[in-house]
Amino acid sequence: MSRFSQIAMGLLLLAAGYVLGASQSFQSPTLHAQQNSGTPTEETEDKIKRGVKQLVEAQSALEQENFMRTATKGLNAFATSCGGVNALEDLEAGNGVDPETFAGLYAGLAKPDVATHLGRDDQGRITYKNKIVRMYPVSRLKKLFATRLKYTGENQDDATGF
């Protein structure tokens, strides 16, 4: 086969692959329907509601036992699933906060006593008492995830990902 024939055949295969991909002729209709449904099934929604209710109860218990102090309104599922954190102390120390507190502060969900000390620097980052609010260092996050394994029953080797 000549060089020209090889190039032409390669371009033909590439074009055919593009046309088949663009036409989505191999896409599963079931997957397509699921992608457009917009909401989980009623059964799944009920499971979510039951799980959230239990997390709220667990967070309340952790707060009563002084294992958890939140800086944001509502449920902090991450901190609760890790056995609690003291987000207020973390903010004061300036050493970072858990991911859900971090997101909550940026989303405007700070508790009123925390919100009075929040601001923004010239780059738009959230500050607490003029210190930039950061997320926990990776070493602390790893410890929290390892602690969470105790409650989830997962094997640490299965949860590392890499």
Side-chain angles (χ1 to χ4, degrees):
M1 187 180 271
S2 72
R3 183 88 173 135
F4 177 76
S5 297
Q6 288 176 338
I7 292 173
M9 183 61 81
L11 290 173
L12 180 64
L13 286 172
L14 185 65
Y18 175 80
V19 168
L20 288 172
S23 70
Q24 299 179 350
S25 50
F26 293 105
Q27 185 173 0
S28 168
T30 304
L31 282 177
H32 191 269
Q34 288 174 349
Q35 289 171 349
N36 293 330
S37 67
T39 60
T41 64
E42 190 173 322
E43 179 183 352
T44 299
E45 284 184 355
D46 288 342
K47 289 178 181 181
I48 293 168
K49 289 174 185 175
R50 285 194 309 269
V52 168
K53 182 180 180 200
Q54 290 189 340
L55 281 169
V56 167
E57 290 171 3
Q59 178 172 311
S60 179
L62 286 166
E63 288 169 341
Q64 288 173 3
E65 295 176 10
N66 294 316
F67 287 108
M68 187 160 173
R69 289 183 63 204
T70 61
T72 55
K73 300 171 193 168
L75 173 66
N76 185 327
F78 177 80
T80 300
S81 70
C82 296
V85 300
N86 189 333
L88 295 175
E89 189 176 280
D90 293 335
L91 278 171
E92 290 290 336
N95 295 327
V97 294
D98 66 276
E100 200 158 337
T101 296
F102 186 81
L105 294 174
Y106 272 91
L109 298 175
K111 287 184 173 179
D113 56 322
V114 172
T116 60
H117 300 289
L118 293 178
R120 292 200 180 254
D121 70 0
D122 58 348
Q123 295 179 26
R125 298 175 292 194
I126 294 277
T127 59
Y128 179 79
K129 296 184 178 179
N130 297 315
K131 292 185 269 187
I132 296 171
V133 177
R134 301 186 188 281
M135 208 174 331
Y136 286 149
V138 172
S139 58
R140 176 108 188 252
L141 288 170
K142 285 183 177 186
K143 286 178 186 175
L144 286 169
F145 276 107
T147 301
R148 186 164 75 175
L149 291 175
K150 175 172 82 172
Y151 302 113
T152 64
E154 293 175 88
N155 182 336
Q156 184 153 359
D157 294 336
D158 295 339
T160 57
F162 53 95

